[in-house]
Amino acid sequence: MWQAIRSRFDSCQNKISDEPIEGDVRSASCKKRVLKQEQNFRGPWYLASGFLLFWALLFFAVVLPLFYRLPKGLTIEDSPKGAFIAERAQNHLYGFDEIGTKVVGSDGNENKTVDYLLGLVAEIRASCLDEYFDVEVDLQVVSGSYIHWTMVNRYQGVQNIVIKMSPKNTTSESYLLVNSHFDSKPTSRSAGDAGQMIVAILEVFRVMCTTKQTIRHTIIFLLNGAEENPLQASHGFITQHKWAPYCKALINLDAAGGGGSDIVFQSGPNSPWLVEYYKKSAKHPLATTMAEEIFQTGILPSDTDFGIFVKYGNLIGLDIAQFINGYFYHTKYDRFANIPRGSIQSTGDNLLSLVRALANATELDNTAAYATGHAIFFDFLGLYFISYTESNGTILNYSVAGIALVLIFVSIWRTANISCVSTGYVLSWFILISVLQIIAFVLGFGLPVAVAYVFDKYGLSLTYFSTPGLLIGLYICPSLLGLSLPSYIYLKLQRNFKVPFAQQLQLVLHGHAAILAILGIGLTVYGLRSTYVVTWTLIFYVIPLSINLLTTLHDRGFSWTGVLKIFQVIPFLYNSYLIYTFVVTLIPMMGRFGRSTNPDLIISALNALGTVLALGFLIPLVNMFRRPSMILLSLLAISSVTIYTATSTQIGFPYRPRTNVQRLPYLQVRRIFYEFDGTVVKDDSGYLFNFQDRRGPAPLKSSKVNLTGLVSIAADCDKVMMCGYPLYDHRWVKNRMQIMWLPREEPIVPPNVPVLQLLEKTDLGNNIMRYSFICEKPSDHTSVYILPQEDVTISNWTLPLEYIAQQTTYHLYYSRGTDYSPLTFSIDFWKQDADFVVPVTQIGLATHSIGDDGDAISQEFAKLLPSYAALVQWPALYQRYIF
């Protein structure tokens, strides 16, 4: 083959030497031949739209059906023995939903739900095979505290239902822990988060203990009653329960939605063998390393028990969650009706297979021996699961990038041979094209981000929230326009008659591949495991390029595009599937991402990334057809129409009642400030709004509610301790600069008015005085803020010692379940002059009456808010003391 090329090259050289050459331009006859060849090869202009339409149809015909595919939910009558039966779990979920809300400390959570679940456990236990298994059930009531983010998280009397299923005569002291939670956020019935996981665990327990089988290890099924509080019951179990020290591996189940498949979004740490078990066991795999790395950055407004078990129990495991339809997550619409039977079956099939596999895993005997680094894992359309170690991934990334760059150089040399020019000549054009492709990359990301920035600037963020189809015109079309514009201009304006047009187009794709190769090398050096996405995208360019180079297809006009398009089907399907997974997950999250960040920047960048990965090698191929400008104009037209629709019609309004709600948490607040001598210097009332999304109060201005006087509390935060308001938890504290206050003339009368009392002062010597405090009958959710005077420091207290000096204002978040004993704590203050007759510290007591609708005025105020607003509100009292 190479001899034929050399012969052809020599022949070409002889031809050219006989023709007149002027500068860098071929003879008129050569130029005419090249132009005629281009006219013969380039297809009709209307086929370009058909080319792009094919890929769009491929997405809708393949990706979407596979993404939303669910197994048939098995019924009690027709299910095979030893299988997970979704109908039974669904029946249990109905009863779970009927209980109502399950906030920690409420009767619904501490009594009704616990009794209901214990009843189900007793029924299952009665049917277990006693000759195969020993089953014990323990109701743990636990108290404790730990530092969570910027606060001390103190819990009192929270509950765990702990089920221990041990194989007869087992000698293993390694337990598998399977965990989920049954408590809820206020207003939520928690059918999705995480009732569906609780009933799945119970059904797996039933199948496991009623099936004649041999397992190696004991299984602990933990139904924890305080995850939303946050993460308290899991901490109580792993630090205090008698069975906790034997737990070695974990399957954690949670939800940020419901109604689809569940995804593995955290694994390990340093235990790739767990991913291998998932690979072999999961019947409906859905997982990606990219989700793990994104979640572990902490940018998402969610957390799970997984981190508690890893940090305080040194466990390894898999973190699995439902995520589709996250619009109803943590709202009153989290109901039984939103959880289809097929979704429960999908979770149950995966969980049952995984529990069976890990319960027999020899690795559980000594997990430390198998701590061999991280894993890279991902599924392909839910059909196949691919995993390998991080070290193998590093080798693969470097190898693919290196091979790609070598093959590109070989292609350049080959192009020079068939074009009768030097390799350096083609290489110089390739460098120019590569620069243009870098510009294309910048535009491919920059144009969608620019649209997002402009929309946000004019108060139009989240236009896609209820109509995700707008993303196509808002972000995908501008990204395609940016990707294709530089190569179109180059191919339109260049006057290079020495290199055939088809090979120039090939150089454009080589430029894109070279950028991906360099990017893959850089991200691998950085240590990003998600680089696998770039690598696998590049692999399916390297393979067709190799085939074309090994045949004559590389040299025959546009023939090389045929193999390329065939192989591009796989990365297109995967990358569009991957990014769609994140789009489905993140768009509902943007409704609770807060006001300080423009969510459109995240969504636009995500769509741009998907466009670059899925269509980066395809969109330049529109230049194979005549008049590619028609495609660019069409993309521009689609974007223009979409922008008009999003800005000028109701379609672009973010919220819809029931389905796409505006999350609207606010408090009915009474504030009382006491001076050092006990006199009241402030007593006012109002509504404290913690708007959850970028639009803030703007959508409410068109409603019936009167928002006159609504102001930010940011100015107060610079003047008084913790802004002087009953901020609910660490998320409210973190978001305090965005919270707003609406004064109310009529005073709010809280249903509970606890008093913080200084019990005694004890002189400990060395300029240290101990202050002992008690709060009788605190609310089941109470925050205490502590701010010593400037000349006072804290030397010790009954809170975690490591929290001292971590914050300027200390935050104690307290909640209780079944233990109603008073809240007590003591603080040791140190002063240089040992004068403790004067003020030493400010203490703020914020008590919350969750579940109370408030007085008649507050209830009437709530009725005036629009129907698309999902309200989460209750009375709260803030008392500022000086001791």
Side-chain angles (χ1 to χ4, degrees):
M1 180 180 70
W2 298 110
Q3 289 179 347
I5 293 173
R6 173 56 60 188
S7 175
R8 183 176 178 184
F9 178 73
D10 292 339
S11 173
C12 187
Q13 291 282 34
N14 292 335
K15 281 185 181 180
I16 290 180
S17 64
D18 295 334
E19 295 176 349
I21 297 176
E22 183 176 340
D24 282 339
V25 184
R26 290 187 183 184
S27 66
S29 61
C30 183
K31 187 187 302 184
K32 184 177 181 181
R33 183 173 70 250
V34 171
L35 290 173
K36 183 177 181 181
Q37 185 184 55
E38 292 178 8
Q39 291 173 357
N40 291 335
F41 279 130
R42 298 180 74 175
W45 64 270
Y46 52 83
L47 290 182
S49 57
F51 172 73
L52 290 182
L53 184 61
F54 167 80
W55 299 102
L57 292 175
L58 196 64
F59 174 78
F60 287 102
V62 177
V63 174
L64 291 187
L66 289 177
F67 180 82
Y68 289 106
R69 181 185 59 168
L70 291 173
K72 179 183 177 182
L74 295 181
T75 63
I76 297 173
E77 293 182 356
D78 63 5
S79 62
K81 189 172 180 60
F84 183 96
I85 302 176
E87 182 186 20
R88 181 181 283 110
Q90 191 178 39
N91 291 341
H92 294 160
L93 184 61
Y94 179 81
F96 182 88
D97 179 87
E98 286 297 298
I99 293 172
T101 59
K102 305 166 184 69
V103 179
V104 169
S106 69
D107 179 59
N109 191 67
E110 309 306 332
N111 299 313
K112 293 179 181 177
T113 303
V114 169
D115 291 344
Y116 176 71
L117 294 178
L118 285 175
L120 295 178
V121 171
E123 290 179 12
I124 296 171
R125 185 179 182 183
S127 63
C128 288
L129 299 175
D130 293 336
E131 65 273 25
Y132 281 83
F133 306 104
D134 293 319
V135 176
E136 299 178 62
V137 179
D138 180 48
L139 178 61
Q140 181 192 25
V141 181
V142 62
S143 303
S145 64
Y146 68 100
I147 298 174
H148 182 65
W149 290 3
T150 59
M151 69 182 188
V152 172
N153 194 4
R154 180 168 173 177
Y155 53 93
Q156 189 169 288
V158 301
Q159 300 185 88
N160 285 313
I161 299 174
V162 192
I163 308 163
K164 178 185 178 185
M165 191 186 87
S166 305
K168 283 288 185 181
N169 303 318
T170 182
T171 58
S172 172
E173 294 187 346
S174 297
Y175 296 178
L176 171 66
L177 175 63
V178 183
N179 171 74
S180 192
H181 69 94
F182 57 80
D183 67 310
S184 77
K185 284 288 190 179
T187 76
S188 172
R189 294 196 175 196
S190 63
D193 180 30
Q196 59 185 319
M197 297 305 190
I198 289 290
V199 298
I201 288 176
L202 289 175
E203 179 62 11
V204 167
F205 168 48
R206 184 197 67 81
V207 175
M208 291 291 294
C209 78
T210 59
T211 302
K212 296 180 180 179
Q213 58 187 324
T214 301
I215 60 173
R216 181 184 180 91
H217 306 291
T218 294
I219 305 171
I220 301 293
F221 297 102
L222 174 59
L223 315 180
N224 91 63
E227 188 266 354
E228 301 289 4
N229 228 40
L231 315 178
Q232 294 170 342
S234 57
H235 180 269
F237 171 81
I238 202 62
T239 59
Q240 300 182 49
H241 198 275
K242 59 185 177 181
W243 296 330
Y246 302 100
C247 295
K248 300 298 171 59
L250 161 74
I251 301 174
N252 187 63
L253 301 168
D254 211 330
S261 299
D262 48 84
I263 185 172
V264 174
F265 64 99
Q266 289 194 96
S267 67
N270 297 318
S271 301
W273 64 271
L274 286 168
V275 175
E276 289 302 311
Y277 272 87
Y278 179 84
K279 178 180 180 179
K280 297 174 183 176
S281 306
K283 294 184 177 181
H284 317 289
L286 177 56
T288 170
T289 295
M290 183 179 287
E292 178 174 272
E293 291 193 319
I294 290 176
F295 187 85
Q296 291 179 352
T297 62
I299 66 171
L300 299 182
S302 294
D303 206 351
T304 75
D305 287 319
F306 185 86
I308 296 295
F309 290 122
V310 170
K311 180 177 180 179
Y312 293 98
N314 198 30
L315 268 63
I316 59 173
L318 299 173
D319 206 1
I320 303 173
Q322 284 274 344
F323 65 98
I324 292 175
N325 197 16
Y327 295 104
F328 65 71
Y329 171 74
H330 285 180
T331 73
K332 62 182 178 180
Y333 301 113
D334 186 0
R335 299 293 304 272
F336 170 82
N338 288 322
I339 314 297
R341 182 177 295 177
S343 178
I344 298 174
Q345 187 69 52
S346 178
T347 295
D349 286 344
N350 284 345
L351 180 60
L352 178 59
S353 298
L354 192 56
V355 167
R356 279 176 168 158
L358 291 178
N360 286 292
T362 56
E363 291 87 347
L364 220 60
D365 292 321
N366 185 7
T367 56
Y370 297 91
T372 56
H374 294 287
I376 295 172
F377 54 89
F378 58 96
D379 71 290
F380 179 73
L381 305 179
L383 302 174
Y384 304 101
F385 191 82
I386 300 170
S387 65
Y388 44 90
T389 63
E390 184 177 16
S391 57
N392 287 339
T394 299
I395 295 171
L396 180 64
N397 294 344
Y398 286 140
S399 299
V400 172
I403 292 170
L405 294 175
V406 169
L407 290 179
I408 289 171
F409 180 79
V410 172
S411 178
I412 290 172
W413 175 79
R414 180 92 157 254
T415 298
N417 284 347
I418 65 172
S419 303
C420 313
V421 295
S422 67
T423 302
Y425 180 85
V426 180
L427 187 61
S428 64
W429 281 101
F430 173 71
I431 293 173
L432 172 62
I433 290 171
S434 296
V435 172
L436 292 174
Q437 284 304 100
I438 293 174
I439 296 174
F441 253 77
V442 173
L443 291 176
F445 280 95
L447 291 181
V449 170
V451 172
Y453 174 80
V454 172
F455 266 57
D456 181 69
K457 183 177 180 180
Y458 290 97
L460 296 171
S461 59
L462 293 171
T463 54
Y464 50 80
F465 190 69
S466 296
T467 314
L470 293 174
L471 297 174
I472 297 173
L474 290 177
Y475 305 136
I476 295 177
C477 286
S479 182
L480 288 173
L481 191 63
L483 282 174
S484 56
L485 192 60
S487 59
Y488 165 75
I489 294 174
Y490 163 75
L491 294 171
K492 182 74 173 178
L493 300 180
Q494 60 82 27
R495 291 295 182 265
N496 179 7
F497 296 105
K498 293 184 178 181
V499 180
F501 182 85
Q503 272 58 50
Q504 294 179 51
L505 180 58
Q506 193 174 45
L507 292 178
V508 171
L509 270 63
H510 288 347
H512 185 78
I515 294 171
L516 289 182
I518 295 171
L519 183 63
I521 293 172
L523 293 177
T524 303
V525 172
Y526 183 74
L528 201 65
R529 285 177 289 136
S530 298
T531 308
Y532 84 86
V533 181
V534 176
T535 296
W536 283 92
T537 302
L538 197 56
I539 284 174
F540 288 94
Y541 184 74
V542 168
I543 294 174
L545 178 56
S546 301
I547 294 173
N548 286 325
L549 286 171
L550 292 172
T551 64
T552 60
L553 294 174
H554 179 275
D555 312 327
R556 290 159 43 193
F558 291 112
S559 298
W560 57 269
T561 63
V563 180
L564 173 68
K565 286 181 282 189
I566 292 172
F567 277 90
Q568 280 299 299
V569 169
I570 295 176
F572 172 80
L573 291 176
Y574 176 72
N575 287 323
S576 56
Y577 167 83
L578 174 68
I579 299 303
Y580 186 76
T581 300
F582 285 110
V583 167
V584 167
T585 304
L586 292 180
I587 286 181
M589 286 188 180
M590 298 301 102
R592 54 190 176 92
F593 212 72
R595 295 179 61 202
S596 59
T597 301
N598 177 8
D600 290 14
L601 295 179
I602 298 172
I603 298 300
S604 63
L606 182 63
N607 279 269
L609 176 63
T611 304
V612 170
L613 291 173
L615 293 167
F617 286 115
L618 294 169
I619 189 63
L621 296 183
V622 298
N623 291 287
M624 293 190 308
F625 307 96
R626 300 186 184 97
R627 298 170 65 185
S629 58
M630 296 296 294
I631 293 297
L632 302 186
L633 291 174
S634 297
L635 293 173
L636 185 61
I638 293 171
S639 291
S640 300
V641 171
T642 304
I643 290 172
Y644 174 79
T645 302
T647 57
S648 304
T649 71
Q650 190 65 20
I651 294 174
F653 186 70
Y655 316 112
R656 304 288 186 273
R658 299 183 64 85
T659 58
N660 309 82
V661 296
Q662 179 191 21
R663 298 169 184 271
L664 191 57
Y666 69 93
L667 305 176
Q668 310 161 24
V669 174
R670 176 76 171 269
R671 297 194 301 166
I672 303 175
F673 285 31
Y674 299 98
E675 278 297 327
F676 183 59
D677 60 2
T679 59
V680 175
V681 293
K682 180 186 285 291
D683 185 350
D684 63 0
S685 298
Y687 303 108
L688 191 67
F689 288 89
N690 183 16
F691 294 101
Q692 295 290 286
D693 66 54
R694 184 68 165 179
R695 292 210 175 190
L700 302 180
K701 293 180 180 178
S702 60
S703 65
K704 298 177 182 179
V705 67
N706 183 5
L707 297 179
T708 303
L710 183 68
V711 295
S712 169
I713 70 169
D716 293 331
C717 297
D718 296 329
K719 301 174 183 177
V720 296
M721 175 184 61
M722 205 55 77
C723 311
Y725 293 90
L727 306 178
Y728 174 55
D729 60 10
H730 62 288
R731 296 191 186 279
W732 283 64
V733 170
K734 181 180 179 180
N735 195 43
R736 61 187 181 275
M737 303 304 288
Q738 306 296 329
I739 290 176
M740 304 190 78
W741 171 252
L742 180 64
R744 172 179 138 171
E745 292 184 3
E746 302 83 1
I748 290 171
V749 181
N752 181 35
V753 186
V755 177
L756 182 66
Q757 297 180 3
L758 176 61
L759 280 180
E760 61 178 348
K761 295 163 62 174
T762 306
D763 190 349
L764 302 181
N766 298 320
N767 300 344
I768 298 175
M769 185 71 72
R770 173 169 294 171
Y771 285 54
S772 298
F773 297 95
I774 185 171
C775 180
E776 298 279 359
K777 297 181 180 181
S779 297
D780 47 35
H781 292 78
T782 297
S783 280
V784 179
Y785 304 111
I786 305 165
L787 178 62
Q789 300 286 66
E790 291 184 359
D791 60 342
V792 178
T793 59
I794 295 176
S795 62
N796 198 1
W797 54 12
T798 52
L799 305 179
L801 293 178
E802 61 269 28
Y803 190 56
I804 294 178
Q806 282 194 13
Q807 304 293 323
T808 303
T809 300
Y810 299 100
H811 181 193
L812 167 62
Y813 176 81
Y814 160 88
S815 59
R816 58 164 173 77
T818 59
D819 186 347
Y820 283 68
S821 57
L823 168 62
T824 61
F825 59 96
S826 63
I827 308 174
D828 297 348
F829 295 107
W830 178 89
K831 282 190 70 178
Q832 177 68 41
D833 59 7
D835 181 6
F836 293 98
V837 178
V838 298
V840 172
T841 185
Q842 296 183 56
I843 295 183
L845 182 68
T847 53
H848 298 266
S849 302
I850 297 176
D852 193 300
D853 292 331
D855 57 25
I857 298 175
S858 296
Q859 293 180 37
E860 188 63 30
F861 178 83
K863 292 178 182 179
L864 296 176
L865 292 164
S867 60
Y868 57 75
L871 311 184
V872 182
Q873 51 91 29
W874 58 78
L877 172 65
Y878 181 77
Q879 300 174 86
R880 197 282 311 271
Y881 301 90
I882 298 177
F883 294 101

